[in-house]
Structure formats: C-alpha cells, structure tokens
Amino acid sequence: MSFASADAIRVLGAREHNLRNVSLDIPKNKITVFTGVSGSGKSSIVFDTIAIESQRQLYATFPAFVLNFLPRYERPHAEAIENLTAPVIIDQKAVGGGPRSTVGTMTDIYALIRALFARFGSPSTGLVHDYSFNTPQGMCPDCDGLGMVVTADPEKLVDRTKSLNEGAILLPGYGVGSGDWQLYGNSGRFDLDKKLADYTDAERHDLLHGSGGKVDLTFNKGTWKADYEGLADKFTRSRVKRDTSGLSEKTREQISKFLTDGVCPGCHGARLNSKALATEIDGRTIAEWTALQITDLLEVLGTVTDPAAYGLIEATRVALGRVADIGLGYLSLDRPTSTLSGGEGQRLKMIKHLGSTLVGMTYIFDEPSVGLHPRDVGRLNRMLEALRDKGNTVLVVEHDPDVIQIADHIVDVGPRAGVHGGEIVFEGTFEELRAADTLTGRGLRRTFAVKENFRRPTGELTVVGATAHNLKNVTATIPTGVLTAITGVAGSGKSSLIRDEFMRRYPESVFVDQSAIAASSRSTPATYLGLMDPIRKLFAKATGQAAGLFSFNSDGACKECGGRGVIITEVAYMDPVTTHCESCDGRRFSEDVLALTLRGKSIADVLELSAEDAVGFFTEKALNAKLHTMNEVGLNYLSLGQAMSTLSGGERQRIKLATQLQNTGTVYVLDEPTTGLHMSDVDTLLGLMDGLVERGNTVIVIEHNLDVVAHADWVIDLGPDGGKNGGEITCTGTPAELLEHPESLTGEYLRRYRSGAPAPA
C-alpha cells in the first residue's frame, strides 16, 4: 500500500537480519501495528531499521561535544529510509536508574510533591531541595537517602556451634591463630573452648560489638598492641563502610555473604532527614504521601483546600491520574523502579511522554500489552490513541488482538520465522487481516473454547499465611501433577504469592522467567545449551585436528576479524562502520578451518543451521536430545550460532526452559511465558506444558493470556483488583468454574473472549 510521499515514512530495500529486501510505506499520524510470528522480522523493521536510522540522523544534528556522550549507530542495511521524524522509543528494557530511582522521580511527580510541601507544608523550610533524598540538604545522613543500610549479619559472621578454638569465626582471614583471630583469642575476654551458643548475652555483645582495651598480637616479626574492637563493628568499618570498587569481584562476592540489607534505623526507610520529615500537610508527612497507593493519594489531594495551592494540586492530580488510567494506580511513588516489571516500566515511560507538548514525533512501542490483564488493555489503547490524536505517528510491535484491533494500518510480517520469514505478507485494516490467509489472520479467526476434561492431581503444595507485599494472610493450595494458572489483574498479588512466598517455601522448584541471561557477547544457543564442546569433539574426531581449532573464540578464529565475522571501525566524532570481513566472508573462522568438514559441512555451516535443520544433521543421541528441546520450546527457527544478545525476553525464557525439559517429578514455575508469542505459537507452548505434565511434572504458570488460562487444569485467581484492593484469592477451581464466577475480573474477560467481544475502550 502506498501513501503520498510526505504523509508516509518510506522504507526501501531493507535487509537487516532476516529481512528480504523489504519495502513499505507507513502512514504518518496514524497507529500502525506490526504483527507476525516470533522471529518473523517485525523488530528488524521497526527497531533495527526505522528507529536506529531516526536516532542516527537526529544525533547527527548535535555538536561533537554532545555526541561523545551518546550511543553511536551504524546506518541500517537498506537502500533508503525517507521522511523520518524524531523518535521516542518506549521499550521493555529495565528502567534502571539505580537505587535512588523511584516511581515518583521517574515520572517527575515527586518534584511536584516536593514543591507542595516546600510552599504549603508546616513547618516548612521553603526550599524545594530540602525535601529531596538526592540532595545533601534533604537526605537522611545515616543512609545517604537510600532508605536502606547494609550491615554485617551477626548470624553469618560466626558458627555458634563452635568455640573460638574450633574456628567459630567464619570470616576469611580469621583462621585460628591468625592475626585477626588473635584480637579475640588473645583478649582474655572469652573462654576459648566455650561454644558460642553457650555465651551469655554480655559475652555475645562483647564479641560482636565490644570496645576498649588493648590486645597483644604476636607475629613472626614481633608483638604489638592493638585496640580491641568487636567482630561485627570491625568488619563493618573495614569492609562495609569503605570503598569496595578497588576490590576484586571474588573478594566482593566473599564479603557479600556476610552482609544483610535492612531498613535504615535513622529514617525508617523514608530516605529523608528529620527536618524534612517534620513538615506536614493535613497531618501527613511527605514520606507518608509517597507511601500511599496512587489511587489513595489522589483522594488525599482532594482534601487540600488552600486556594493558593490549586495550580500545583491540579498539576499533581493530572499526573497521578495518568498513572491510574494505565492500570498502575496500585503503585506508590516511593516504589523503587528496580522492582518494576518490564511491562510496568514501559507503561510508566509512556505516561511520562503523554505529558509532553511535543508533536510530530514517532513513538515506537515494543509489545506494550506485556504484563497487562485483559481488563487493562482498553486503558492502554486509549493512551496510544491519545498520542496519535496529538499529532504523532505511533508504531507498535504487538501480538494482542485487542491492541491490533485499534490500528489504522497493520503490517503483517512472515510468512514464518527466521529464514522462513522476513517478508511483508499483508498490509491493511484489522477486518481485512481477519480474512487474510496468514498465520495472524488464521489466529484471529480461530474459535475459543474452555477446557472440559481435567487431569487429576497427584498431591498438593500449600502456602499458608502469605503476607508479602499486598497479600492479606493468603493460604493457597496448588495441586501437583497438573497445570495450574495463577491469574489476576496487574498488582493483584500473583508474583507476590508465587515468586516471593511459594518459591521461598519450595526453593527446589525450577523458576523460569525472562530476565537477562548471564552470558558473554559471543554466547550463542549452541554455547548456552552445552552443544559446542561435543560438536567440536565430533569435528576433531572426523578431521584428526585439535578440538580447539573449531572455536571462533580460540585457535580457529579468523585472524582479520578475531572471530567476529565483521570488522568494526570507530573514528572519533563519526558513526561506527561495520564491514563484512572479506577474509572469512563473515563466517568467523580461518580459511584452513573452513576447509575441514563433518559429513560435508564446515563448522560455520553447522552454526548457521537452524535448530530445526540441526536435528536432522546430528544423529548423536545427546546432541539430538538437546536440539529437540529447542524445537519443543518453539525456537526451531533460531540458528545455533545466533548471538544470545539478539534474543527477545520471550526467547530468553524459552531457551532457559529448554535446558530444564528432561526432568521428571519437578515443579516448574513459568512467569508469563506467552510474552513475545504470536497466537500460533501459543499452541506450541500449550503442547510443551502438557508434555511436561504428562512426564510427571507439576507446572505453575503466572499468566494473563486467556488461551493459557482456559487450557489449565486448575486456576487460582487473585484480586479482586490491584494494590490494597487485591491480595486475596477470589476464585480457585477449574477454568469452567472460573468462567461462571460472578466476582472475578478474569472470569468476566473469559466470558467476553468466548463471546468474541473486543476489550472495552
């Protein structure tokens, strides 16, 4: 479909990753949704082509000094990308911001609250920065505004079942007879053969926190006197309260074993000093305001009647209202951003931009429905439409039918994934897509049914008296040997019940989420799954060469590119230029190594195989079994040598799951495994979970996807809403029973989904 040139972003001949010379026009000031199976090429178009080129050209307008502080991007592989506007990229990357970043600081709402207390609080200092925990004037002096302090854990420092002579002190360097040990062993304060468990309270305090007096320490070069200092105090002074940046990672790791995080005793977690905490508005301090659930804080704002405060109150109310409107009203402003999920972080980024008066921008979203209950998708849609209606172009990569439905224009990428994708298979409206013969079109047309035949549990796992976060003394019984779905709106307590309470009681369970995989920049599915060593040995056996020769991280690497396959040239003040390595033709290995083959294929040929093709190539039992797991989890399109850094969150979760699939009698906990999954891929996931259960495992899945909920044997639904209005079990039973439950929001949307009704706007 083509549009007038000035009214469309034009992409010509895009070839990033698996894209096959893609050309398309994307209408400006409209919502365009990109659909297609995982790995089809959606993100390659939206993020790796349009977003990268928009950023690259925008940054080129900045002076050289500023450029030194910005990331540099290489020109995407495309013939032309025209009519771009300034981009705003709102992805699912962790919000970050460090320990000082909170919901309030990220959204700039805390600045409004500080202004209110500075101007209208009593007694007030009149200075806004006096109420900031990020300034010396406002921060608590005990914790430097962090609200938490790291202290030595007395229970970890010593083994109370032993005496000092038996090595009761567990700290490294405190072996019996050592100089550090002598500070206590030679002090004359303790019976060296008395077990610490038998110490009096006074003796225990003296060992950990005592002071005063001198102790003779004996060394090879002589004796000298040292001041006595309790073990915990000495460790805190010498290790905890000093700059540890110069210590080795191993030493820091050793130290961390003896530490514990705790709420600051000075400010009780409020982060502010006593002067700031003395100021009140209508009997509440600024810390009490920010600790309130946002929906409650909106009510408190309504009680402030000072006419002079109206402007600030109204601005704060509007900003808080945006957070509540997107379904995050259960958060509090003092919530650290490091504790937010990817979906929560993305929606908060969106809220921040909604307050902007900039227009004519291109907003780019990466699956904004992630982590959203169907109830909240309508709220998300309203925000996307609001951005468009202000005069912006909105590009969305999405799988949720309710989000796809609001698109002005849809681009379906496929037909399948990896080498079988990279083409535009459809452009048009939602109704036209529903009728199209593509995987997305067929997925939109399929009928929805709730499971009727359920497996019988083999036992049960119980959580009694759960109180983490907003849970209200919850007791939950999870059946074993079946598939159980944990449901509820965002903030209802699902993760608190399973991640915090269940996993603490049943730590042997296998927990699989979408967090980043600790791997080097050269890691691949083959290295992560442990395939490379046996593959290298097969090549060594077949060729009579050393196994190390078949590694692009070692002897076999191309000398020109160092095993990267590309040569990266970085010149000051210019974009980096990545060129194809002509020496190895981008295949990473030296010419000599590429000449060595196994069953007619070189090591580079093997790493270019998809998991699907590799199963047929490797007949060896151990290798074949591991490759089958990649196919089972729906990653059949990934090549063995693809960089792990290029995987999406959903792909990372599934490849983690692939390493665990051969277990039996195991409890699996999956955290929103449908993230990043196309409708057609959900069936593969359901088959995978069924297979796990049929092999004698228990599967617990935290999920919003209604197809997964309807397929479960048992459902535990939390709610009835989020935050303080959640934290209770609203329904336990089969999906059929949930379907008829009158008070469950999940049940309501199951009924709506069954009837084919869209999410309400």
Side-chain angles (χ1 to χ4, degrees):
M1 185 177 295
S2 62
F3 302 87
S5 59
D7 297 329
I9 296 170
R10 175 158 291 174
V11 178
L12 299 173
R15 299 179 302 279
E16 279 295 318
H17 304 308
N18 68 329
L19 296 180
R20 300 185 181 185
N21 206 36
V22 165
S23 297
L24 74 159
D25 288 352
I26 301 165
K28 287 186 178 179
N29 302 328
K30 303 290 184 184
I31 297 174
T32 298
V33 175
F34 290 77
T35 61
V37 298
S38 303
S40 61
K42 305 182 299 297
S43 294
S44 296
I45 296 173
V46 178
F47 291 96
D48 300 324
T49 302
I50 297 171
I52 289 294
E53 181 63 5
S54 299
Q55 287 178 295
R56 194 186 69 80
Q57 291 192 28
L58 177 64
Y59 291 173
T61 66
F62 298 152
F65 174 77
V66 175
L67 286 175
N68 281 330
F69 300 95
L70 295 173
R72 295 180 181 178
Y73 299 105
E74 184 183 355
R75 184 189 298 273
H77 293 96
E79 291 177 18
I81 309 169
E82 302 171 348
N83 305 325
L84 295 170
T85 61
V88 178
I89 299 168
I90 306 173
D91 55 26
Q92 293 180 41
K93 291 179 181 175
V95 173
R100 296 184 178 277
S101 178
T102 65
V103 170
T105 60
M106 176 187 173
T107 57
D108 296 330
I109 298 174
Y110 189 55
L112 297 171
I113 303 289
R114 288 192 289 120
L116 276 169
F117 273 78
R119 292 180 58 186
F120 304 105
S122 178
S124 172
T125 67
L127 301 173
V128 174
H129 57 240
D130 284 351
Y131 299 91
S132 170
F133 47 79
N134 290 325
T135 65
Q137 298 93 329
M139 67 175 54
C140 167
D142 295 333
C143 63
D144 293 334
L146 294 175
M148 303 288 289
V149 289
V150 178
T151 57
D153 187 336
E155 295 302 316
K156 296 177 180 177
L157 298 178
V158 295
D159 182 347
R160 296 180 62 190
T161 67
K162 296 179 179 178
S163 66
L164 287 175
N165 269 342
E166 292 172 327
I169 301 177
L170 301 177
L171 289 170
Y174 282 76
V176 176
S178 66
D180 284 327
W181 179 89
Q182 289 181 51
L183 190 62
Y184 309 99
N186 296 358
S187 67
R189 298 172 181 237
F190 311 105
D191 179 347
L192 303 186
D193 294 315
K194 183 178 181 180
K195 297 189 186 303
L196 269 58
D198 298 328
Y199 275 27
T200 64
D201 289 344
E203 287 174 324
R204 187 174 297 111
H205 181 272
D206 205 14
L207 175 65
L208 296 170
H209 304 290
S211 62
K214 299 283 186 179
V215 180
D216 290 330
L217 307 183
T218 304
F219 298 91
N220 292 335
K221 295 183 179 180
T223 301
W224 65 80
K225 294 183 180 295
D227 293 325
Y228 181 83
E229 185 178 16
L231 180 65
D233 294 349
K234 182 174 186 288
F235 177 68
T236 300
R237 176 185 57 78
S238 64
R239 291 298 195 183
V240 181
K241 290 192 174 180
R242 60 164 287 189
D243 181 9
T244 61
S245 59
L247 300 178
S248 69
E249 186 175 338
K250 183 178 180 181
T251 302
R252 287 200 298 270
E253 188 177 324
Q254 285 179 331
I255 292 171
S256 68
K257 295 176 183 177
F258 302 99
L259 302 177
T260 184
D261 292 336
V263 176
C264 173
C267 64
H268 303 291
R271 298 174 178 246
L272 296 163
N273 60 32
S274 56
K275 182 175 66 174
L277 293 174
T279 304
E280 295 182 349
I281 293 180
D282 289 347
R284 284 189 172 95
T285 68
I286 190 169
E288 289 171 329
W289 271 43
T290 57
L292 288 171
Q293 185 170 300
I294 283 170
T295 50
D296 291 343
L297 183 54
L298 278 165
E299 294 178 11
V300 169
L301 281 173
T303 66
V304 180
T305 56
D306 188 335
Y310 176 78
L312 266 176
I313 290 290
E314 185 62 15
T316 307
R317 186 191 64 75
V318 170
L320 290 171
R322 290 195 184 107
V323 181
D325 285 345
I326 194 57
L328 297 177
Y330 59 87
L331 297 177
S332 59
L333 294 181
D334 64 358
R335 171 89 172 260
T337 54
S338 60
T339 66
L340 299 175
S341 68
E344 288 171 334
Q346 187 179 32
R347 292 194 291 283
L348 279 182
K349 294 175 195 174
M350 190 190 311
I351 289 161
K352 187 173 182 178
H353 291 297
L354 268 179
S356 169
T357 56
L358 291 171
V359 295
M361 313 287 282
T362 297
Y363 285 86
I364 302 174
F365 293 91
D366 184 14
E367 294 185 47
S369 69
V370 166
L372 274 185
H373 187 274
R375 189 276 304 268
D376 297 320
V377 172
R379 294 171 169 175
L380 166 69
N381 287 345
R382 287 199 299 274
M383 296 190 77
L384 294 174
E385 290 168 336
L387 284 171
R388 175 199 61 193
D389 295 344
K390 284 174 64 176
N392 300 297
T393 302
V394 180
L395 309 183
V396 187
V397 173
E398 188 55 82
H399 292 295
D400 190 305
D402 289 327
V403 179
I404 299 171
Q405 191 162 359
I406 69 160
D408 302 302
H409 184 63
I410 299 169
V411 177
D412 197 22
V413 187
R416 294 188 178 275
V419 296
H420 306 298
E423 301 176 26
I424 305 300
V425 294
F426 168 86
E427 288 188 76
T429 66
F430 181 77
E431 288 306 320
E432 290 169 340
L433 178 60
R434 277 180 61 93
D437 187 24
T438 69
L439 284 173
T440 307
R442 292 198 289 271
L444 291 172
R445 293 194 299 272
R446 70 179 182 178
T447 55
F448 173 73
V450 174
K451 193 174 187 176
E452 296 180 354
N453 299 313
F454 307 101
R455 303 178 183 93
R456 289 185 175 276
T458 57
E460 58 186 37
L461 301 169
T462 303
V463 174
V464 178
T467 58
H469 304 303
N470 68 329
L471 293 178
K472 299 172 181 174
N473 198 31
V474 164
T475 294
T477 300
I478 298 173
T480 58
V482 300
L483 171 60
T484 298
I486 311 297
T487 61
V489 298
S492 60
K494 303 183 300 298
S495 292
S496 298
L497 176 62
I498 302 302
R499 295 184 69 145
D500 298 326
E501 297 281 3
F502 178 84
M503 289 302 299
R504 182 166 58 81
R505 291 167 171 81
Y506 302 97
E508 69 281 1
S509 302
V510 176
F511 186 83
V512 187
D513 63 5
Q514 297 174 33
S515 60
I517 292 171
S520 74
S521 59
R522 293 182 176 228
S523 292
T524 64
T527 58
Y528 184 74
L529 292 173
L531 295 168
M532 278 312 297
D533 281 343
I535 288 175
R536 284 195 289 264
K537 288 176 182 176
L538 284 175
F539 270 91
K541 185 177 179 181
T543 63
Q545 302 293 325
L549 200 61
F550 301 96
S551 169
F552 54 72
N553 295 322
S554 187
D555 300 338
C558 169
K559 300 297 185 290
E560 289 294 318
C561 63
R564 290 187 178 89
V566 293
I567 296 173
I568 302 172
T569 305
E570 296 200 48
V571 181
Y573 309 118
M574 293 181 66
D575 294 327
V577 178
T578 302
T579 55
H580 187 73
C581 178
E582 297 296 335
S583 180
C584 66
D585 196 25
R587 309 191 80 194
R588 299 183 166 197
F589 294 90
S590 67
E591 189 175 340
D592 292 343
V593 175
L594 290 173
L596 302 171
T597 61
L598 170 70
R599 299 167 201 158
K601 291 189 181 295
S602 70
I603 183 68
D605 294 330
V606 167
L607 291 178
E608 289 165 7
L609 289 174
S610 66
E612 183 178 26
D613 294 335
V615 167
F617 181 77
F618 288 107
T619 55
E620 291 77 14
K621 187 175 180 181
L623 275 171
N624 199 269
K626 288 184 177 181
L627 288 165
H628 264 296
T629 63
M630 278 188 72
N631 289 272
E632 277 189 76
V633 298
L635 297 178
N636 53 305
Y637 58 90
L638 284 186
S639 67
L640 301 188
Q642 182 169 335
M644 292 288 283
S645 59
T646 65
L647 302 189
S648 67
E651 287 170 333
R652 286 196 300 268
Q653 185 180 34
R654 295 196 292 284
I655 203 166
K656 288 180 191 176
L657 186 57
T659 66
Q660 305 284 347
L661 281 186
Q662 301 308 310
N663 300 340
T664 56
T666 300
V667 177
Y668 288 92
V669 179
L670 310 182
D671 189 5
E672 296 190 39
T674 61
T675 298
L677 278 187
H678 186 267
M679 291 164 274
S680 62
D681 295 324
V682 172
D683 292 333
T684 302
L685 176 69
L686 293 175
L688 170 67
M689 292 191 291
D690 282 340
L692 286 172
V693 173
E694 285 156 13
R695 288 201 291 271
N697 300 295
T698 298
V699 179
I700 304 167
V701 56
I702 303 170
E703 191 54 81
H704 291 297
N705 184 285
L706 295 178
D707 286 307
V708 175
V709 176
H711 190 79
D713 299 300
W714 194 252
V715 180
I716 298 176
D717 189 49
L718 282 95
D721 214 297
K724 72 166 190 178
N725 299 319
E728 302 176 42
I729 292 178
T730 57
C731 174
T732 58
T734 65
E737 291 170 325
L738 177 67
L739 190 67
E740 305 305 325
H741 197 282
E743 298 172 10
S744 167
L745 283 168
T746 308
E748 176 187 337
Y749 280 82
L750 271 175
R751 293 190 293 274
R752 187 187 298 272
Y753 195 22
R754 183 179 62 175
S755 69

